[in-house]
Amino acid sequence: MSDTSEHIVIVGAGAAGLMAARELARAGRKVTILEARERCGGRIHPLPASEFGYPADGGAEFVHGEAPVTRGLLREAGLSLQEIEGEQWSFDGTKLAREERHDPHEAELQAILRDLKNDLTVADFLRRHFAGSDYAPMRRSIERMVEGYDAADPERASTLALRAEWMDGGHAPQARIDGGYGAMIDVLAADCRRHGATIRLGSVVSAIAEEGGAVTVRCAGGDVHACDRVILTVPLPLLREIALPAAARARLAAADDIGFGNVIKILLRFARPWWRARKENLADMTFLLSDQAIPVWWTRYPGQHPVLTGWFGGPRTTELESLDPQGLIDAGLDSLAAVFGLPRDDIARELVAAAATNWAHDRFARGAYSWATPRTREAQAILARADGRVLFSGEALYRGRDMGTVEAALASGLETAGTILRE
């Protein structure tokens, strides 16, 4: 269908939806974006600069690796990046020390990964090749990375999908956008509108029906949108809550083979960077790891804002399932007090602003991002097929190394738009 009068409805105004909408609108298609929230961005969640002293990110924050689509979009928009610098520290329960990244078994791990032909879960991989007690620190390090960084379950996560990440030793470049991801979303949304796309906020899609070559999209409030095609870009858990035509519903069953993980994120702004006074050589600390309830923290280094961001990812986030935002903030303060050996009340008195999100509790996300199981590539191929009037797009369907990232969402939206425009 090459008729430029074609009307396409896109469900979701996150990175994938906006990217697809921009490309289609630029090509002359009529585009309507239906977004459940009262803002664009989805799991990109800007927080007020007035509270944190800079445009903080309550959701996605880092640009991981080369990210060519993201970096190209930022150049086009005139937005700059700040590469991440600094040292990684850890707390072993008794003392703080710079993280020792060298593992005596690293060469052995790399060799086995290079020769690995058949996929298996991370847990099975470690049990098969690194079961001895000598390997215990390496197993713990890998499991912590899989659970925390990838928000994945080692019992289900694909070893081959994570191999490239392990092979570079976690040294892929990372950066932040000056102005935060919200600045990028603002540019994308403005571009969509400038090229004629309509963005309708507060539109919760409940059902999609297909009859006689036409598609009808129904929203919870009663609005109905007739169109020629629909692109669904919402997180995987939400797809199961939308009534779909039989063919699309059958394809969606493949999503059971794609992992979807959770993240708890806490931002704490203090009156001063008190951790530097606690230990002088923490001035260049970027990341801080421990086994506390909130196990990962990072600073704004090389920026100087006195903000610590806490992160807890993966299946163990269910341990804090019952906590509301204030409870999460309290857990964060308790964790910092234990790591730095300070009274909790002393740290709390320094607190100026705070925000906390358990993304599993967000009704329009139900979690953070996707990760691969050994069967994910086949599932993605099924979901990405453009063999009907209902198409799926988003970070979960990107088949490159960057699955689960904003880069994946942007690239998937671009691919989906390209598929339509090539017909």
Side-chain angles (χ1 to χ4, degrees):
M1 185 183 298
S2 59
D3 185 356
T4 56
S5 66
E6 180 182 20
H7 181 202
I8 299 166
V9 166
I10 296 176
V11 181
L18 291 173
M19 194 66 169
R22 186 179 81 149
E23 295 305 303
L24 292 166
R26 278 177 166 178
R29 300 299 196 271
K30 180 182 178 182
V31 177
T32 301
I33 305 173
L34 302 177
E35 168 55 49
R37 304 178 191 273
E38 295 297 337
R39 61 171 179 83
C40 294
R43 287 164 282 173
I44 291 172
H45 183 202
L47 298 175
S50 58
E51 291 186 19
F52 291 94
Y54 65 96
D57 289 299
E61 178 172 343
F62 297 105
V63 177
H64 301 282
E66 298 303 323
V69 179
T70 304
R71 290 174 185 262
L73 180 59
L74 295 176
R75 284 193 299 271
E76 181 185 334
L79 296 171
S80 58
L81 284 168
Q82 174 70 63
E83 299 294 334
I84 301 301
E85 304 173 14
E87 295 292 325
Q88 183 165 298
W89 287 70
S90 63
F91 177 68
D92 64 3
T94 58
K95 66 181 185 301
L96 274 168
R98 280 190 173 85
E99 180 85 356
E100 177 56 63
R101 298 195 181 189
H102 173 72
D103 189 288
H105 306 293
E106 182 69 20
E108 185 180 358
L109 172 64
Q110 300 269 345
I112 292 174
L113 285 171
R114 274 194 300 270
D115 294 339
L116 190 66
K117 299 295 189 296
N118 299 316
D119 203 1
L120 65 167
T121 69
V122 170
D124 284 343
F125 172 79
L126 294 176
R127 283 191 286 262
R128 182 174 302 182
H129 296 285
F130 299 101
S133 59
D134 289 350
Y135 298 114
M138 187 180 72
R139 287 198 304 272
R140 175 66 187 119
S141 176
I142 290 173
E143 288 166 353
R144 184 163 67 177
M145 175 66 79
V146 171
E147 291 179 348
Y149 181 79
D150 300 295
D153 182 352
E155 293 290 347
R156 293 189 64 213
S158 160
T159 299
L160 287 181
L162 296 173
R163 176 165 60 182
E165 178 183 307
W166 296 355
M167 292 293 281
D168 68 25
H171 300 307
Q174 294 193 85
R176 292 188 183 93
I177 302 169
D178 289 333
Y181 265 116
M184 185 193 77
I185 290 297
D186 288 345
V187 168
L188 274 177
D191 268 2
C192 287
R193 292 186 173 104
R194 184 163 53 251
H195 288 94
T198 299
I199 302 177
R200 298 187 182 277
L201 303 177
S203 298
V204 181
V205 172
S206 59
I208 297 170
E210 186 177 347
E211 185 175 354
V215 183
T216 301
V217 181
R218 296 185 181 277
C219 296
D223 289 345
V224 178
H225 301 268
C227 60
D228 299 292
R229 293 202 227 205
V230 176
I231 303 174
L232 288 159
T233 71
V234 299
L236 289 180
L238 300 187
L239 289 174
R240 299 180 178 93
E241 300 179 7
I242 300 174
L244 298 174
R249 178 64 62 184
R251 285 162 56 212
L252 183 59
D256 290 343
D257 291 323
I258 301 176
F260 192 78
N262 187 38
V263 161
I264 291 170
K265 190 173 183 182
I266 304 167
L267 287 89
L268 305 178
R269 180 188 180 187
F270 297 98
R272 62 188 178 93
W274 51 263
W275 52 94
R276 296 180 187 170
R278 185 64 177 169
K279 194 174 180 66
E280 184 178 344
N281 52 0
L282 290 180
D284 64 351
M285 179 180 74
T286 300
F287 291 96
L288 171 61
L289 310 180
S290 75
D291 288 323
Q292 296 301 309
I294 306 301
V296 180
W297 293 88
W298 60 76
T299 69
R300 291 289 299 175
Y301 187 83
Q304 299 300 307
H305 295 285
V307 173
L308 291 175
T309 298
W311 174 276
F312 185 19
R316 292 193 304 114
T317 55
T318 55
E319 297 168 8
L320 304 183
E321 174 71 18
S322 64
L323 298 184
D324 63 8
Q326 184 57 54
L328 294 175
I329 292 166
D330 291 340
L333 292 171
D334 289 339
S335 296
L336 290 173
V339 169
F340 288 97
L342 292 171
R344 179 194 181 281
D345 289 347
D346 288 359
I347 298 176
R349 276 193 291 271
E350 299 276 359
L351 195 61
V352 173
T357 302
N358 182 339
W359 280 93
H361 292 172
D362 186 293
R363 63 176 293 210
F364 298 127
R366 306 290 173 82
Y369 48 81
S370 303
W371 45 270
T373 74
R375 299 185 51 141
T376 286
R377 297 305 180 228
E378 294 88 345
Q380 289 173 321
I382 292 170
L383 285 165
R385 284 202 311 256
D387 58 357
R389 296 183 178 274
V390 179
L391 290 78
F392 299 102
S393 186
E395 49 86 11
L397 301 188
Y398 184 67
R399 282 167 278 185
R401 172 180 171 178
D402 295 315
M403 178 188 177
T405 65
V406 175
E407 169 73 8
L410 293 170
S412 180
L414 199 59
E415 289 175 353
T416 305
T419 297
I420 292 173
L421 295 175
R422 285 191 297 272
E423 292 181 0

